[in-house]
Amino acid sequence: MISQSLLFNSFLQTPFSPRQRSLQGWIAIIGFVLLSLTCYFAGAAGMLRLIYPATALLVAIFLYLRHPILYIGFTWWMWFLTPLVARLIDYRVGWDPTRQILIAPYLVVFVTIATFLRHFPQTYRQGGLPFILAFIGVTYGFLVGLIYNTPVPVARGLLDWLSPIIFAFHLFMNWRDYPSYRQNLQRIFLWCVLLTGAYGIYQFVVAPEWDRYWLIESKLFTSSGDPVPFGMRVWSTLHSVGPFGAVMQAGLLLLFTSSGPLIFPASAVGYLSFLLTQARTNWGGWLFGVIMIMGSVKARIQMRLIILILVIAACVVPLTTIEPISDVVAARLETFTNLQEDSSFKDRSGSYDRNLSLALSNLLGNGLGNTWKVNEKTGQIEVFVIDSGILDMFFTLGWFGAIFYLGGLILIFFSVATYTEARFDSFISTARAIGLSAAAQLVIGSGMLSIAGMILWGFLAMAMAGHKYHKSQNITQLQQRSTT
């Protein structure tokens, strides 16, 4: 009998052209979409809560093996759209307190554990030490969680903490294909800003029934607004305001590296919806990112960025003067002048006052799953929110795990800060700015988890991949010159 490994190798070596493989990949993706639509409109929407994650995993495995570029795009769009799919299903068949369909993006990402296991032996020699350190820290937290916490919250915590690390490692290990990965990410986030930004404006103006239903059932009125037109804080197709703000912050910065006719319409709807999130943390992160980009690129690129920002401002500012948009944006901007009286600022300050000494005295940590609890009455997994990534690290991983996890992040920070390629490769400069601006927000949010963590780790990994690619190109050119 033919062994499984031989079957696997023969599958990988099947002689298809790149165009044929791409066609196969798109057929798989379209098939997934059509199956989901058929189930939804044919009266089987409830079954989608199981079918959707299962088929997404199968498509992800196929794309990972046959078309890696499409796999990257499929992964990001699963993060962007799955929460909207969940809300549509809930509106059609009733509220699901377990939110089981939201596991789909994590399953798609976890396919990259194969990359980690395959390259682990030579990871250190190839510059992947930061990912190893972070992986050790999370593994420690997982083992402690199994001791102190129940299995379901521990598994949920593992998905949140580990997914960004292994996905970023996958991007880094494919540094030889950096140009195609760079172009792919630019295209993904261009369309993301355009489509999710447009839906965000629609959500604010119309307040679709499925979004109102989710807001009422989730009872997140304080963070997401009122379930009425012009009363919501925009979260678009994402799960809540924070994740959408993180995605738009990254996407709008990445638009500076893109070109084409869609840049300005994407920027118009993107910046307007970004303002309607009322997410001040992400506004500040975007500004910090712009400053870092400006300070790292050549004068010619700086001038291009300044012109682009002025043109975008000319398109967006008139839109913000329309009522009631102007009232919402102006009211939120005014809070910057009186942060001492802001309730959100008070809550975060109070959280630090109460929990900082407790977190730093937690030597062993509470383990993964300590912020997730199962409600015995409803069966719903509920989260205890800690408005600080730093506090969350020490509460969850303790000193032992946090030293490894933070050590990995700090190693990356010092590495990417020295990259001279950012002078001529604006994508490296922007990816670095996105990653570092996301890291700066760890002080006031757990931005290392879920899709925010995907952005933090993923773009830092792309900066590392770009550096490694250019370094390899320089060595190759020197070798060619020495032989001629």
Side-chain angles (χ1 to χ4, degrees):
M1 182 180 292
I2 301 176
S3 66
Q4 291 183 352
S5 60
L6 288 176
L7 286 172
F8 181 79
N9 290 333
S10 64
F11 178 74
L12 289 178
Q13 296 169 4
T14 305
F16 289 111
S17 68
R19 180 174 295 182
Q20 288 174 313
R21 289 189 178 187
S22 179
L23 178 61
Q24 290 175 342
W26 279 110
I27 290 174
I29 294 171
I30 293 171
F32 168 72
V33 173
L34 292 177
L35 175 63
S36 300
L37 290 174
T38 301
C39 290
Y40 185 80
F41 290 106
M47 295 177 60
L48 264 181
R49 289 171 177 154
L50 295 176
I51 295 174
Y52 183 89
T55 51
L57 176 60
L58 293 176
V59 172
I61 293 173
F62 177 78
L63 295 176
Y64 175 84
L65 295 173
R66 304 298 295 163
H67 203 289
I69 296 296
L70 281 182
Y71 167 75
I72 299 299
F74 182 70
T75 300
W76 283 111
W77 281 105
M78 286 296 295
W79 283 105
F80 299 153
L81 298 180
T82 296
L84 176 61
V85 173
R87 295 201 294 272
L88 289 169
I89 294 173
D90 286 345
Y91 176 71
R92 196 172 185 87
V93 299
W95 178 253
D96 176 23
T98 66
R99 317 305 292 152
Q100 60 185 343
I101 194 174
L102 297 181
I103 199 177
Y106 295 100
L107 294 178
V108 171
V109 170
F110 250 73
V111 174
T112 58
I113 194 68
T115 304
F116 189 88
L117 296 176
R118 186 166 68 249
H119 294 285
F120 183 78
Q122 67 267 27
T123 299
Y124 177 77
R125 295 192 302 271
Q126 297 191 18
L129 179 60
F131 304 102
I132 296 176
L133 293 177
F135 186 87
I136 291 173
V138 173
T139 302
Y140 169 80
F142 173 71
L143 296 175
V144 174
L146 290 177
I147 297 173
Y148 290 121
N149 306 308
T150 54
V152 173
V154 172
R156 181 67 175 82
L158 182 65
L159 293 175
D160 263 336
W161 282 84
L162 195 57
S163 296
I165 298 170
I166 60 175
F167 184 74
F169 180 80
H170 175 75
L171 295 176
F172 171 68
M173 291 308 297
N174 285 279
W175 60 267
R176 293 178 181 83
D177 297 317
Y178 165 74
S180 56
Y181 276 66
R182 174 183 60 192
Q183 183 182 28
N184 180 248
L185 271 176
Q186 289 171 323
R187 184 167 56 248
I188 290 168
F189 276 84
L190 169 62
W191 282 102
C192 169
V193 170
L194 179 63
L195 297 180
T196 63
Y199 182 83
I201 297 171
Y202 169 76
Q203 182 183 65
F204 179 75
V205 174
V206 177
E209 294 180 2
W210 45 89
D211 290 334
R212 296 206 306 266
Y213 179 77
W214 174 84
L215 184 52
I216 292 170
E217 292 294 330
S218 66
K219 299 180 176 61
L220 296 176
F221 305 113
T222 302
S223 61
S224 300
D226 300 319
V228 294
F230 306 107
M232 292 180 177
R233 291 179 62 184
V234 167
W235 67 88
S236 189
T237 62
L238 277 292
H239 183 258
S240 59
V241 172
F244 180 59
V247 169
M248 292 305 289
Q249 176 187 325
L252 292 171
L253 289 173
L254 204 58
L255 286 186
F256 292 138
T257 70
S258 303
S259 59
L262 293 178
I263 292 297
F264 292 110
S267 297
V269 297
Y271 279 103
L272 186 57
S273 63
F274 188 46
L275 289 172
L276 291 174
T277 63
Q278 305 176 50
R280 294 172 303 182
T281 301
N282 298 112
W283 294 352
W286 175 86
L287 181 60
F288 183 40
V290 170
I291 294 171
M292 282 192 289
I293 295 171
M294 287 291 188
S296 63
V297 296
K298 292 181 178 179
R300 178 178 56 83
I301 301 177
Q302 286 178 341
M303 185 57 63
R304 175 181 176 273
L305 293 179
I306 291 172
I307 293 173
L308 187 59
I309 290 172
L310 291 175
V311 173
I312 291 172
C315 296
V316 175
V317 170
L319 296 175
T320 61
T321 61
I322 302 172
E323 293 186 358
I325 295 175
S326 59
D327 297 334
V328 171
V329 175
R332 196 61 171 170
L333 288 173
E334 286 176 1
T335 62
F336 282 107
T337 63
N338 194 16
L339 286 176
Q340 297 297 331
E341 300 300 323
D342 183 71
S343 59
S344 178
F345 179 80
K346 287 182 178 179
D347 290 341
R348 287 191 168 96
S349 299
S351 177
Y352 265 97
D353 293 339
R354 293 188 304 271
N355 297 317
L356 181 59
S357 60
L358 182 63
L360 294 180
S361 64
N362 196 343
L363 182 63
L364 298 179
N366 300 325
L368 300 186
N370 75 98
T371 57
W372 296 90
K373 305 297 180 185
V374 178
N375 189 314
E376 295 180 357
K377 294 182 179 179
T378 64
Q380 182 176 0
I381 298 178
E382 299 177 344
V383 62
F384 168 66
V385 178
I386 301 176
D387 283 330
S388 167
I390 305 300
L391 293 180
D392 199 354
M393 286 182 201
F394 283 96
F395 270 126
T396 302
L397 306 179
W399 271 97
F400 185 82
I403 286 173
F404 281 96
Y405 190 90
L406 277 174
L409 275 177
I410 291 170
L411 273 180
I412 295 180
F413 297 160
F414 279 107
S415 296
V416 300
T418 62
Y419 292 165
T420 57
E421 293 85 358
R423 298 290 295 172
F424 59 86
D425 188 335
S426 60
F427 181 88
I428 291 181
S429 175
T430 304
R432 179 173 64 186
I434 291 171
L436 293 179
S437 62
Q441 297 170 50
L442 291 177
V443 178
I444 51 178
S446 296
M448 67 286 184
L449 308 179
S450 189
I451 190 169
M454 293 281 290
I455 291 170
L456 166 62
W457 281 94
F459 279 95
L460 288 174
M462 282 301 297
M464 295 172 66
H467 167 72
K468 198 171 179 66
Y469 173 80
H470 287 298
K471 187 177 179 180
S472 175
Q473 292 294 104
N474 291 336
I475 293 173
T476 302
Q477 291 174 2
L478 288 174
Q479 289 175 344
Q480 291 176 346
R481 291 173 185 172
S482 64
T483 57
T484 56

